[in-house]
Amino acid sequence: MNNSLLYYSVGALLYCPANRKNIVESIVRHRFGTKYSLALCLEDTIRDDSVTEAEHILTQTLHSLYAQSVQHNFYMPKLFVRVRNAQQIGRIRKAFGESAQLVTGFILPKFSLENADSYIQEVIKANEAISTPVYAMPIFESPSIIDLRNRSEILYTLKEKLDMIEDRILNIRVGGNDLCHMFGFRRHDDESIHQIRPIAAIFSDIITVYGMDYVVSGPVWEYYHSNNWKKGLYHEIADDKLCGFVGKTVIYPSQIDVVNEAYKVTQMDYQDASAVLNWDKSSHSLVSGSVSKERMNEYKTHANWALRTLLMAEYFGVKDY
């Protein structure tokens, strides 16, 4: 589903360990701003022996946030819970009670042939149990997609499974750091992950299989306080956009504004996209010079780009230059 604003509106997804006890205060006081989504993580950021405690803290957080939302007006981000396994979804959803309606959906880590069916069944059950839609965002980061001999078959088989609940798949996400870990790679703050050819090839295959039907979000950027972190993030987002990604996983609040600014649509792209989608189809010609007379617009060639551009403009905004 890449033709509706909803699927472009995850934007900058801020990761936060689910056992943080100041989450409610940070949201209510707008410490992260008013244009982001929030992932509450029960997986890699939580020690194996602390999962039960983290689930309890997360449940209390949602209860408190729900109570605050009834009493006060504040920006409520899209909230996602990153679980460890499929079975955890049903268990914590029941514990959330009425505050479960605050949860936009679940993030499904290390999505693979081994766990896809159980994850999908839990998403279906969650949607049957509550009136508001429950979405899912699978993460492609499993070692199984590294093997060139099997990658395409795995990706297409997983797509066939996800297509059964296509309207509930908000984004496809990629685990850049997890995939780099398999090779022992790590980029510096002046390098883009798209320069790492084996990782870029995996990303390219994911976009090829999923990009025509789903919104695919860019990998996490891990720098936030180095000399070059901001310039490096802008650079990688430029590569993300060129390669078909929309949105970004972030791990520090200061990264949110950079993502939102980087994804704003230029005036030239906005004007040309509007012109393409408002083309006079009774015209004898389906090609013309662009609004700025710098390039060619062609209705049959640029219509999909134009729709995508206007959806991004609606969520992220348009640059003044």
Side-chain angles (χ1 to χ4, degrees), residues 246-260:
V246 177
K248 194 80 168 165
T249 298
V250 300
I251 45 83
Y252 205 76
S254 60
Q255 296 176 331
I256 294 172
D257 286 343
V258 176
V259 173
N260 287 331

Side-chain angles (χ1 to χ4, degrees), residues 151 193-206 243:
R151 184 188 301 161
I193 198 169
H194 299 277
Q195 295 173 257
I196 307 175
R197 297 295 293 274
I199 307 302
I202 297 172
F203 288 173
S204 178
D205 288 345
I206 292 172
C243 293

Side-chain angles (χ1 to χ4, degrees), residues 13 15 173-178 187 193 203 217-223 233 236 240 247-252 255:
L13 178 66
Y15 261 60
R173 310 196 76 84
V174 295
N177 284 350
D178 282 71
R187 65 201 186 279
I193 198 169
F203 288 173
S217 179
V220 67
W221 176 259
E222 60 187 341
Y223 293 94
L233 178 53
E236 183 163 290
D240 286 347
K248 194 80 168 165
T249 298
V250 300
I251 45 83
Y252 205 76
Q255 296 176 331

Side-chain angles (χ1 to χ4, degrees), residues 6-165:
L6 173 66
Y7 300 92
Y8 289 80
S9 65
V10 177
L13 178 66
L14 177 64
Y15 261 60
C16 178
N19 59 359
R20 291 277 175 86
K21 296 183 178 180
N22 62 343
I23 296 173
V24 175
E25 183 180 6
S26 295
I27 294 174
V28 172
R29 294 181 177 273
H30 294 160
R31 288 178 178 166
F32 304 142
T34 57
K35 199 177 186 63
Y36 69 99
S37 298
L38 184 63
L40 303 172
C41 182
L42 288 167
E43 199 218 7
D44 289 345
T45 60
I46 304 297
R47 283 175 24 177
D48 293 345
D49 60 358
S50 300
V51 176
T52 300
E53 178 188 16
E55 287 181 2
H56 175 73
I57 293 172
L58 173 59
T59 300
Q60 295 305 309
T61 293
L62 288 177
H63 290 337
S64 176
L65 189 60
Y66 181 77
Q68 289 281 353
S69 70
V70 172
Q71 299 174 19
H72 306 288
N73 290 321
F74 54 89
Y75 173 75
M76 181 70 74
K78 288 181 174 63
L79 295 177
F80 300 91
V81 178
R82 175 170 167 149
V83 295
R84 288 184 161 231
N85 51 60
Q87 294 71 33
Q88 195 176 34
I89 293 176
R91 184 173 68 252
I92 62 175
R93 181 175 51 79
K94 292 176 183 176
F96 293 162
E98 63 180 354
S99 61
Q101 62 189 279
L102 295 181
V103 178
T104 303
F106 295 92
I107 298 172
L108 316 179
K110 298 172 178 63
F111 192 72
S112 66
L113 292 178
E114 289 71 30
N115 58 32
D117 290 336
S118 54
Y119 270 136
I120 289 170
Q121 286 305 310
E122 287 298 330
V123 172
I124 291 172
K125 289 179 184 177
N127 277 281
E128 292 173 344
I130 189 170
S131 59
T132 55
V134 179
Y135 295 94
M137 297 198 295
I139 310 179
F140 287 82
E141 57 188 350
S142 170
S144 63
I145 62 174
I146 292 176
D147 192 331
L148 284 170
R149 295 167 297 183
N150 305 315
R151 184 188 301 161
S152 61
E153 182 178 353
I154 290 172
L155 290 175
Y156 277 109
T157 301
L158 289 173
K159 185 176 186 296
E160 290 174 2
K161 293 177 181 294
L162 289 175
D163 285 349
M164 295 187 297
I165 55 168

